[in-house]
Amino acid sequence: MNLAIRDIQFHRGRFILTSIGLGLLIGVVISMGGIYRGLSADALSILESVKADIWVVQQDTNGPFAESSRIPEDIKYRIKAVPGVADASPISFQTIQVERQGKPFRFFLIGYELNGFGGPPEILAGRNIRQKHYEMVVAKAMKIEIGEKINLGIHDYTVVGITGKVVSSGGDPAAYVSLADAQDIQFKKDNDAIRNDRARINSNLAGIRSLSPVQAKYVNQNIAGITESTHTVNTVVAKLTPGANLHQVQEQIRRWNHFRPISVEEQTKILTKGMIEKSRMQIGLFRVILLVISAVIISLIIYTSTIDKIKVIATLKLIGAQNRVIIGMILQQSLLMGVIAYAIGYGLILLTYKRFPRRIVLEAFDLQVLFIIVIVICTLSSFVGIRKALKVEPAEALGG
Amino acid sequence: MDKAMYAIEVENLTKIYGKGETAVTAIADATLQVKPGELVAILGPSGSGKTTLLTSIGLINEPTHGKVVIDGITVADQGWLPGLDLKRMRREKLGFIFQHHNLISFLTALENVMIALEINDLSPSEARSRAAELLTSLNLGHRLSSYPQALSGGEAQRVAIARALANKPRVILADEPTAALDTENGKNVMTLMKSLAVENQSAVLVVTHDHRMVEGFDRIFHVRDGLIVS
Ligand SMILES: Nc1ncnc2c1ncn2[C@@H]1O[C@H](COP(=O)(O)OP(=O)(O)O)[C@@H](O)[C@H]1O
Ligand SMILES: [Mg+2]
């Protein structure tokens, strides 16, 4: 006969409630870990889907994710010509927020060259973008049907395909359009604004009397060119030929003095160490606080349940029960509660984690470590009760 | 090993609670012997030191002076004998019955008896069958799976007796076992203890303040203010 289990069976209502409470707490700890892993996975999602070796960005920036970066699109030709580079492709990124069905709808728009790379990593439904204009592939998470039209700026874009789990480092789902469309959306969002700009600059220039009519006309044309220039991208990604030396290629691009060639390894560091470090620490702190709270609660529960059992413990001592019988009862109860609470917490997260607004990644390692921590907390907590129990005198069984 | 002549031997037992001015001498210079199978009552008013005497013999309460020998083993001589495993002595040699039955609330009647057997290294299945047998012989066969709170006072006390007897102890110590029962049930409990003592050849020491309950005892000691007066 197992005293721990018999006691639990007798007080099962209380035990179940306590375990559920603890289970919820542990569930939150598990989901915190999952959110952290999800943050890392999200941060690296685009990096991994593009599968480039080098990210060329504006000089002195940590672009294109951590900082903004603008480089001319045609630098791709120069990069392609660097020995060791197999292919180079320009990409533009922008976060878009529109109204959709009356609610703000955010996503991360990726513009890629249709005959280059950096496009959707997979097509789950429909097809890839085939026409140079007004077609769009969206991530499944956006919950948009194929054939639906979305208005961005001046044009409607038709969804032709659905891709998988690509998100921005902020967790917004990704959508793809051709680079030309992306540039249109980015720079020509409002033609009126551009016309206004041009008119304003023109009238300012008209005030400069020292220009000859020929000079003025020349400047005018250039202004139109500048304000209309949309051939800018955020990054040009490059793939190396097999066996090429990454450092040599980087060195060569760096020597042009206007660009920073970031290797995937460096980009990973920028994304994980830089961008999500604070969130990571915040979540880590929450996890520790929750674990401490759990430890205090478990200790309190075990201690009060020991106090409740003082008479039983005294009676057991009176009839000569060995210390191991008493210690076993308390320790087993504590461990059982920990294991059941863990199972409840884990089960709960397993059932719900897909519905979390942010991605939850449950890693076996994290779960195992947490399980061990819970067991250690339960063991240490039960020492408090055991210490109390061992001090109980058998004479305490005598009183009414 | 020879059977000891006495199951209980108490020589000049004195118990003083506290120290200095607040010291209370609960029992003074008590001497008594009980043979196996003998039924002895200790009668005295409340506060006379009966419980103190019983718990000192029962290895619960350390005697201040004097000697206690249980089944030929000296357990106390001016305090506990060093190196003695009190718990082991209690579980192997002694059976306790108290005014309040002291059953474990989350165990059934059967399990309350089983636990006493299991801590004496009986397998659960042996413990179960022996406990069931014992309870059935005490007319509790229909109460095996009842929890203490569902038992009447007399039934609970019979379960406590079954637990005290389970290991066939040499010594049974009962402190006011009938105090919480009506006269009818009290008499039944006493009769039961008597017959079991004879059957098991256990020495039975019953403490009570109710002289109506001590009919048929082999010997009766009277205590008053910590002194055995007769
Ligand atoms: N743990 C204790 N500490 C101090 N005094 C005690 C303690 N237990 C009993 N006493 C005192 O010892 C005396 C005898 O008590 P007890 O043995 O319980 O008598 P009885 O069982 O005959 O009523 C009483 O005066 C009581 O107050
Ligand atoms: Mg008393």
Side-chain angles (χ1 to χ4, degrees):
Chain A
M1 172 177 40
N2 184 305
L3 288 174
I5 290 177
R6 295 296 292 117
D7 183 28
I8 288 169
Q9 284 172 334
F10 191 76
H11 298 112
R12 69 180 85 80
R14 189 172 72 179
F15 182 81
I16 290 169
L17 275 180
T18 323
S19 301
I20 289 175
L22 266 182
L24 292 174
L25 212 55
I26 291 174
V28 176
V29 176
I30 292 176
S31 66
M32 290 272 184
I35 289 169
Y36 165 59
R37 295 288 177 185
L39 277 182
S40 295
D42 282 355
L44 300 176
S45 164
I46 288 173
L47 192 66
E48 275 162 13
S49 79
V50 170
K51 293 195 178 64
D53 298 307
I54 294 178
W55 291 65
V56 180
V57 300
Q58 190 178 328
Q59 196 176 28
D60 302 326
T61 72
N62 285 316
F65 307 109
E67 290 180 314
S68 73
S69 148
R70 290 258 163 116
I71 56 174
E73 180 188 335
D74 55 16
I75 192 68
K76 70 187 176 191
Y77 300 113
R78 263 182 100 182
I79 294 171
K80 264 186 207 172
V82 172
V85 172
D87 199 2
S89 196
I91 305 182
S92 83
F93 301 109
Q94 54 192 310
T95 301
I96 304 261
Q97 182 163 330
V98 292
E99 283 264 312
R100 182 168 178 264
Q101 291 159 1
K103 281 187 204 154
F105 183 63
R106 261 172 86 86
F107 58 94
F108 193 63
L109 190 69
I110 301 172
Y112 71 104
E113 227 173 40
L114 298 188
N115 53 0
F117 59 102
E122 55 182 342
I123 294 294
L124 298 178
R127 59 170 175 81
N128 216 329
I129 296 170
R130 268 189 219 132
Q131 306 204 0
K132 207 174 171 196
H133 286 297
Y134 314 134
E135 288 190 348
M136 191 175 190
V137 167
V138 300
K140 205 175 147 201
M142 286 171 74
K143 299 199 178 77
I144 296 180
E145 303 286 314
I146 290 171
E148 196 173 318
K149 284 185 166 58
I150 297 176
N151 183 278
L152 300 173
I154 20 181
H155 298 288
D156 280 346
Y157 295 83
T158 309
V159 173
V160 296
I162 307 288
T163 186
K165 256 193 229 157
V166 182
V167 291
S168 74
S169 53
D172 299 317
Y176 293 85
V177 290
S178 72
L179 183 62
D181 280 353
Q183 287 166 333
D184 268 3
I185 294 163
Q186 195 164 8
F187 300 110
K188 280 191 176 172
K189 230 178 193 170
D190 193 340
N191 277 347
D192 290 342
I194 295 170
R195 267 194 291 274
N196 287 346
D197 255 5
R198 210 180 292 163
R200 183 170 46 80
I201 295 169
N202 274 339
S203 68
N204 283 347
L205 283 171
I208 304 173
R209 309 224 173 243
S210 58
L211 290 179
S212 71
V214 182
Q215 281 173 317
K217 194 181 171 212
Y218 181 73
V219 168
N220 232 340
Q221 277 169 356
N222 271 297
I223 285 171
I226 292 165
T227 50
E228 238 173 346
S229 168
T230 60
H231 296 286
T232 306
V233 295
N234 301 108
T235 182
V236 171
V237 288
K239 280 183 181 170
L240 299 184
T241 53
N245 185 318
L246 173 72
H247 292 288
Q248 273 172 17
V249 175
Q250 278 182 294
E251 195 43 51
Q252 175 142 10
I253 296 171
R254 201 174 290 128
R255 248 184 269 139
W256 302 338
N257 269 339
H258 295 289
F259 309 103
R260 177 175 175 206
I262 303 179
S263 70
V264 168
E265 201 182 317
E266 290 163 331
Q267 192 65 269
T268 304
K269 208 184 261 172
I270 290 169
L271 284 167
T272 54
K273 288 278 144 43
M275 288 183 70
I276 59 169
E277 182 68 6
K278 283 220 174 73
S279 319
R280 193 185 71 87
M281 276 161 53
Q282 186 72 64
I283 289 170
L285 187 66
F286 273 134
R287 288 189 94 191
V288 171
I289 291 171
L290 284 173
L291 279 173
V292 170
I293 292 173
S294 311
V296 170
I297 291 176
I298 293 173
S299 314
L300 274 176
I301 290 167
I302 297 298
Y303 188 72
T304 45
S305 97
T306 308
I307 301 282
D308 284 349
K309 278 201 283 288
I310 289 220
K311 192 97 191 287
V312 168
I313 291 165
T315 304
L316 284 170
K317 289 190 167 185
L318 184 75
I319 64 174
Q322 299 85 340
N323 279 342
R324 66 177 152 81
V325 174
I326 292 156
I327 294 172
M329 175 171 73
I330 296 170
L331 185 62
Q332 285 166 17
Q333 268 182 8
S334 178
L335 290 177
L336 212 61
M337 186 158 61
V339 170
I340 289 173
Y342 182 89
I344 289 172
Y346 179 54
L348 200 76
I349 297 304
L350 216 54
L351 288 176
T352 58
Y353 81 103
K354 293 220 169 83
R355 294 168 192 276
F356 274 64
R358 281 213 68 142
R359 176 149 35 150
I360 303 264
V361 175
L362 299 176
E363 295 224 348
F365 174 77
D366 294 355
L367 292 169
Q368 285 157 7
V369 168
L370 183 63
F371 183 76
I372 292 168
I373 291 175
V374 169
I375 294 299
V376 169
I377 288 176
C378 288
T379 310
L380 293 179
S381 299
S382 68
F383 288 167
V384 186
I386 289 170
R387 236 173 67 108
K388 175 81 192 164
L390 291 182
K391 281 194 199 141
V392 172
E393 290 288 330
E396 286 175 61
L398 270 53
Chain B
M1 199 183 98
D2 283 340
K3 276 264 151 88
M5 161 93 161
Y6 292 109
I8 308 170
E9 290 175 75
V10 176
E11 233 173 79
N12 307 110
L13 179 81
T14 298
K15 173 70 191 182
I16 303 167
Y17 289 111
K19 280 197 184 93
E21 297 209 350
T22 56
V24 177
T25 306
I27 199 86
D29 225 19
T31 298
L32 61 87
Q33 292 90 23
V34 186
K35 281 186 263 194
E38 202 179 12
L39 202 65
V40 171
I42 294 175
L43 207 58
S46 185
S48 55
K50 307 183 298 294
T51 299
T52 303
L53 180 60
L54 204 76
T55 50
S56 298
I57 296 169
L59 306 176
I60 296 169
N61 212 336
E62 184 166 12
T64 314
H65 302 294
K67 201 169 160 184
V68 177
V69 182
I70 303 289
D71 199 23
I73 301 167
T74 304
V75 293
D77 195 349
Q78 310 295 95
W80 300 135
L81 231 61
L84 197 70
D85 186 347
L86 297 177
K87 277 190 178 165
R88 186 169 165 194
M89 285 290 290
R90 283 206 295 273
R91 79 177 165 261
E92 290 178 356
K93 305 272 185 203
L94 306 179
F96 292 94
I97 302 160
F98 289 96
Q99 172 178 348
H100 301 280
H101 55 69
N102 287 102
L103 296 178
I104 293 171
S105 60
F106 57 79
L107 299 181
T108 61
L110 182 72
E111 289 166 335
N112 262 288
V113 180
M114 279 173 70
I115 185 74
L117 292 161
E118 284 187 17
I119 59 174
N120 262 313
D121 296 330
L122 241 71
S123 74
S125 62
E126 274 179 287
R128 183 172 295 275
S129 61
R130 198 187 298 176
E133 200 180 304
L134 196 56
L135 286 168
T136 309
S137 77
L138 297 182
N139 284 327
L140 287 165
H142 61 298
R143 290 306 227 165
L144 297 185
S145 50
S146 300
Y147 286 96
Q149 70 204 30
L151 298 173
S152 73
E155 285 172 334
Q157 204 55 297
R158 261 143 62 211
V159 175
I161 292 172
R163 183 176 69 189
L165 289 168
N167 291 304
K168 298 197 165 67
R170 300 293 291 158
V171 173
I172 292 174
L173 302 169
D175 190 358
E176 317 241 12
T178 61
L181 304 178
D182 57 43
T183 319
E184 173 83 15
N185 267 314
K187 287 225 164 98
N188 289 344
V189 163
M190 281 301 192
T191 316
L192 184 64
M193 292 208 311
K194 275 182 273 183
S195 63
L196 292 169
V198 178
E199 211 173 288
N200 287 340
Q201 281 298 291
S202 308
V204 179
L205 195 61
V206 180
V207 151
T208 181
H209 65 269
D210 188 350
H211 28 258
R212 289 171 307 169
M213 289 294 167
V214 295
E215 290 163 20
F217 275 60
D218 296 324
R219 275 187 296 151
I220 299 172
F221 291 96
H222 290 267
V223 281
R224 189 143 300 139
D225 297 332
L227 294 168
I228 295 183
V229 289
S230 66

